[in-house]
Amino acid sequence: MELDRMVSDLFQEEELARDMARKLLAMAQRSADEASAERESLLAFLRGPMERHMRYEEAAIFPHFQARGLAEEVQVALKQHAAVRDATEALARAAQGSDVAGVIAHVARLLLHHTNFEGDYIYPELTDDEWRALMKETARQEI
């Protein structure tokens, strides 16, 4: 079913970000040069798939959760989105030879914290049927 795939894709995006963050954090702790070499691919991920995912949540998912009485949780998630965006720009500005690995580790920690927060506090609020209904509703929206 198409709606099941949409729900699965949304959760898969979260898992991809979580896995990438874990790998980057371990890499930054192991080798600054190795982590720095991943700077451009991380920026591409943050500015591409991760940004699209956050915009979709903000436009389609979060309003639904606010209507369910989760305004405080949504505000936390929005602040986390802003922090990820700020850290993305800090990484883009970081000069080679500076503490690029430290900035990468910071971005990775933010992503881990954010994906864990959503996975623990926001996403479980809906049943499978409610997720399908939400995907059906948001599939009609242009995001």
Side-chain angles (χ1 to χ4, degrees):
M1 171 181 256
E2 179 70 15
L3 296 175
D4 286 336
R5 185 190 59 75
M6 291 172 69
V7 172
S8 177
D9 287 351
L10 180 71
F11 293 155
Q12 189 66 24
E13 290 168 356
E14 290 282 327
E15 193 58 38
L16 176 65
R18 188 177 298 115
D19 287 345
M20 176 181 276
R22 285 184 187 122
K23 289 175 187 172
L24 288 169
L25 189 55
M27 188 183 300
Q29 292 168 344
R30 186 174 57 246
S31 166
D33 290 338
E34 189 180 353
S36 295
E38 295 298 321
R39 177 178 179 245
E40 293 306 317
S41 64
L42 176 56
L43 282 170
F45 172 77
L46 292 167
R47 289 176 168 165
M50 192 65 202
E51 180 60 30
R52 281 189 301 277
H53 177 83
M54 292 188 299
R55 279 195 321 257
Y56 176 73
E57 285 180 330
E58 292 165 2
I61 303 294
F62 290 171
H64 183 79
F65 283 112
Q66 286 179 307
R68 290 180 62 96
L70 296 169
E72 290 179 29
E73 290 85 346
V74 168
Q75 289 307 307
V76 170
L78 290 171
K79 287 178 184 174
Q80 291 172 349
H81 283 189
V84 168
R85 288 178 175 118
D86 290 346
T88 298
E89 293 314 307
L91 180 59
R93 289 188 308 270
Q96 287 298 82
S98 66
D99 187 22
V100 173
V103 178
I104 288 174
H106 176 65
V107 171
R109 281 187 207 95
L110 289 172
L111 286 175
L112 276 175
H113 181 68
H114 175 64
T115 56
N116 288 336
F117 174 78
E118 285 185 346
D120 291 344
Y121 295 103
I122 294 182
Y123 284 7
E125 291 294 323
L126 297 183
T127 65
D128 289 343
D129 288 339
E130 289 170 322
W131 273 111
R132 282 186 207 96
L134 179 58
M135 290 298 111
K136 185 176 181 179
E137 178 184 322
T138 61
R140 290 179 250 159
Q141 297 176 5
E142 279 296 315
I143 307 296

